[in-house]
């Protein structure tokens, strides 16, 4: 156990596509000498977010799949993971929990406050907000207002996609929703100063974080007269996750057509796509939120199987129909596809990632900072 100073555990929350993984990757790539333990709580059975940060923290990362952490009955699973990361052998300085985009951060905070391991302590709730999707997020996910009200720090991400007047309006609305004095930090591509999260002050200083009494009061508000915990009202009760995996390459043209006609209720798509078109043998990461779409080509890991793995999260969508459409995107002979078949995909690749770079065909895992986020209207 760390008998000198407990390890702070920071909860990184935010709605689907707000940029939590991008922010976490930024922290990992700019952590200096700080040793960061990571818990990734992904929504869906394929750990796409966990795969995105794998290799940057070694065996100091654990992943909780199959739903949001607030579904745990008593938090004992989380406690076990935190005990592992807090072991002295890891010499961890801070632990970051990247919550599912549909998780209830208050539940995580309650678990952390109730944790009896003296080697760790609750280190704050960071709520990530997508500036470009702020109004639509609040409409689709009203719980956003409550989450902002309990945040210790708000990161207004993707500020590069709104004009100054719009940003000022959003910041004013967020300030009205948050507790007085809650810091609001603007960011693009998840780039914030890691010192905002890794506070080395004495662990006894709470600096305005939620007290246990505050959390109990919040729980009382959420609990009905019959004592039900209101869990059915959580966001994941209204959203469904569909997973698609294919060892056969996908046709870039048919896949873009699928994305162009995706239903409005399909809010989030993430994963990796294998096209196999000559000259474009990279692994293409796909990120879609609302009507925005981004592809980021990158090298395959050493010995990694060429395949497509996607997670689709939406509300009111027809999962089997989506899977049938994706099945129709399979390409039996990708090596015969002309290079121009990739033009639709390349429209949504950041300029810095375009071009025929021989290194993109290398099986060596990528080094350095992750590819910049460049969501483009679909």
């Amino acid at each position: 156990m760390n008998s000198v100073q407990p390890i702070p555990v920071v909860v990184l929350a935010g709605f689907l596509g707000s940029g939590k993984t991008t922010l976490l990757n930024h922290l990992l790539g700019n952590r200096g000498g700080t040793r960061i333990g990571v818990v990734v709580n992904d929504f869906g059975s394929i750990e796409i977010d966990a795969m995105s940060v794998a290799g940057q923290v070694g065996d100091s990362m654990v992943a909780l799949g199959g739903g949001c952490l607030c579904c745990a009955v008593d938090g004992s699973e989380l406690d076990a993971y935190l005990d592992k990361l807090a072991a002295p052998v890891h010499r961890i300085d801070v632990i970051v929990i990247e919550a599912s985009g549909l998780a209830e951060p208050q539940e995580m905070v309650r678990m952390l406050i109730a944790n009896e391991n003296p080697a760790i302590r609750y280190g704050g709730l960071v709520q990530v907000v997508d500036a470009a999707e702020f109004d639509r997020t609040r409409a689709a996910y009203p719980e956003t207002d409550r989450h902002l009200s309990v945040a210790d720090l708000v990161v207004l991400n993707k500020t590069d996609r709104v004009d100054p007047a719009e940003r000022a309006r959003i910041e004013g609305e967020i300030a009205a929703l948050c507790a007085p004095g809650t810091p609001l930090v603007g960011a693009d591509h998840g780039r914030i100063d890691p010192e905002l999260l890794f506070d080395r002050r004495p662990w006894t200083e709470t600096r305005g974080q939620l007290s246990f009494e505050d959390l109990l009061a919040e729980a009382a508000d959420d609990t009905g007269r019959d004592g039900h915990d209101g869990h059915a009202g959580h966001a994941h009760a209204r959203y469904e996750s569909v997973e698609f995996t294919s060892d056969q390459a996908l046709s870039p043209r048919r896949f873009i057509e699928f994305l162009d006609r995706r239903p409005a209720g399909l809010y989030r798509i993430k994963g990796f796509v294998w096209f196999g078109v000559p000259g474009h043998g990279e692994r293409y990461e796909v990120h879609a939120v609302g009507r925005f779409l981004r592809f980021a080509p990158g090298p395959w890991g050493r010995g990694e199987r060429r395949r497509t793995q996607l997670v689709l999260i939406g509300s009111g969508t027809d999962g089997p129909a989506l899977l049938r459409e994706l099945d129709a995107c399979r390409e039996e002979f990708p090596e015969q596809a002309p290079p121009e078949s990739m033009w639709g995909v390349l429209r949504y690749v950041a300029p810095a990632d375009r071009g025929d770079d021989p290194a993109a065909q290398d099986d060596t895992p990528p080094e350095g900072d992750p590819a910049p986020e460049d969501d483009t209207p679909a």
Side-chain angles (χ1 to χ4, degrees):
M1 295 294 182
N2 185 341
S3 60
V4 178
Q5 182 166 323
I7 302 169
V9 181
V10 177
V11 178
L12 187 62
F15 191 55
L16 301 167
S18 58
K20 297 185 302 296
T21 299
T22 302
L23 192 154
L24 176 56
N25 277 320
H26 169 74
L27 296 176
L28 293 173
N30 296 272
R31 64 185 185 270
T34 302
R35 295 179 64 87
I36 306 174
V38 180
V39 177
V40 176
N41 169 219
D42 209 3
F43 185 84
S45 61
I46 301 175
E47 303 290 357
I48 298 298
D49 289 347
M51 293 162 62
S52 296
V53 299
Q56 298 197 56
V57 289
D59 62 0
S60 296
M61 185 185 83
V62 292
L64 308 177
C68 78
L69 201 59
C70 63
C71 292
V73 175
D74 57 10
S76 59
E77 187 179 22
L78 174 62
D79 290 346
Y81 287 132
L82 294 176
D83 288 347
K84 172 186 174 182
L85 290 175
V89 65
H90 295 304
R91 304 195 309 279
I92 296 295
D93 297 311
V94 62
I95 297 172
V96 178
I97 299 178
E98 183 194 346
S100 158
L102 298 177
E104 288 288 349
Q106 299 98 316
E107 301 294 335
M108 295 189 182
V109 173
R110 291 186 180 103
M111 288 186 222
L112 291 171
I113 291 178
N115 188 286
E116 298 180 352
N117 186 343
I120 63 172
R121 66 173 174 88
Y122 169 57
L125 169 62
V126 179
Q127 188 76 16
V128 184
V129 176
D130 183 339
E133 295 286 332
F134 179 68
D135 293 331
R136 285 182 286 271
T137 296
R138 291 184 70 194
Y141 188 53
E143 292 88 343
T144 297
D145 290 8
R146 187 177 72 251
H147 296 173
L148 285 169
S149 72
V150 299
D152 294 299
L153 171 70
V154 177
V155 176
L156 183 61
N157 195 29
K158 305 185 186 180
T159 54
D160 56 316
R161 283 174 36 190
V162 296
D163 60 42
E166 177 71 356
R167 176 174 176 176
R169 179 189 69 83
I170 294 171
E171 289 179 342
E173 293 195 23
I174 291 175
L177 294 168
C178 292
T182 302
L184 172 61
V185 179
D188 62 272
H189 306 93
R191 294 190 289 259
I192 67 170
D193 185 351
E195 291 293 327
L196 295 174
L197 304 186
F198 308 151
D199 193 341
R200 302 304 183 93
R201 294 181 182 272
W203 71 275
T204 53
E205 184 175 335
T206 62
R207 300 191 356 162
Q209 295 171 4
L210 286 176
S211 68
F212 190 54
E213 290 75 16
D214 291 334
L215 294 170
L216 288 177
E218 178 84 17
D221 291 340
D222 292 343
T223 303
R225 292 183 181 275
D226 60 355
H228 190 269
D229 65 2
H231 189 270
H234 287 191
H236 53 55
R238 302 192 301 273
Y239 287 78
E240 54 273 355
S241 171
V242 175
E243 291 82 27
F244 174 78
T245 301
S246 175
D247 289 325
Q248 190 173 339
L250 299 191
S251 162
R253 284 176 172 166
R254 291 197 292 274
F255 186 59
I256 286 293
E257 289 173 359
F258 165 79
L259 294 173
D260 285 344
R261 63 174 182 268
R262 64 191 185 274
L266 185 55
Y267 194 90
R268 178 91 162 95
I269 304 173
K270 58 181 179 177
F272 306 101
V273 185
W274 162 234
F275 294 117
V277 175
H280 301 277
E282 307 96 327
R283 183 182 73 167
Y284 280 79
E285 179 183 0
V286 58
H287 167 91
V289 54
R291 301 310 300 173
F292 289 91
L293 175 65
R294 188 244 334 187
F295 284 96
W300 297 90
R302 194 178 305 279
E304 184 177 358
R305 178 191 299 182
R306 272 55 172 166
R307 69 190 318 191
T308 294
Q309 290 184 282
L310 297 172
V311 174
L312 301 89
I313 303 173
S315 176
T317 54
D318 185 340
L322 291 175
L323 292 177
R324 287 194 296 270
E325 290 190 56
L326 286 170
D327 279 332
C329 293
R330 299 179 195 263
E331 178 60 64
E332 187 174 0
F333 303 107
E335 67 279 359
Q336 298 179 10
E340 57 266 27
S341 66
M342 287 292 295
W343 288 353
V345 172
L346 296 177
R347 283 180 54 209
Y348 301 105
V349 172
D353 292 330
R354 294 180 188 142
D356 297 325
D357 183 359
Q361 306 298 325
D362 189 2
D363 284 341
T364 304
E367 297 180 355
D369 292 340
E373 189 172 294
D374 182 35
D375 294 332
T376 307

